Amino acid sequence: MKSTISSARCLGEAETLSPVEDGVEIMKMLCAVYESVATGREIRFDGK
């Protein structure tokens, strides 16, 4: 049953649990974290 629901979401036939834009924002935050660690500086993240 879970695979059927996941397939429907992938095919755009059902709502996802969170929009893809949320994933993009999380990736931007993670990139800022890695940059901060690499440079030893605070990285400002404006969320845009």
Side-chain angles (χ1 to χ4, degrees):
M1 185 70 174
K2 285 186 179 182
S3 63
T4 303
I5 293 170
S6 295
S7 298
R9 287 183 179 139
C10 289
L11 296 171
E13 297 169 353
E15 281 191 43
T16 58
L17 297 176
S18 60
V20 70
E21 293 82 9
D22 289 352
V24 171
E25 291 302 310
I26 290 169
M27 288 305 300
K28 288 179 184 179
M29 286 185 261
L30 288 172
C31 287
V33 167
Y34 280 108
E35 183 179 350
S36 177
V37 169
T39 62
R41 295 182 300 115
E42 178 180 311
I43 305 299
R44 301 231 177 226
F45 177 73
D46 65 6
K48 294 181 182 177

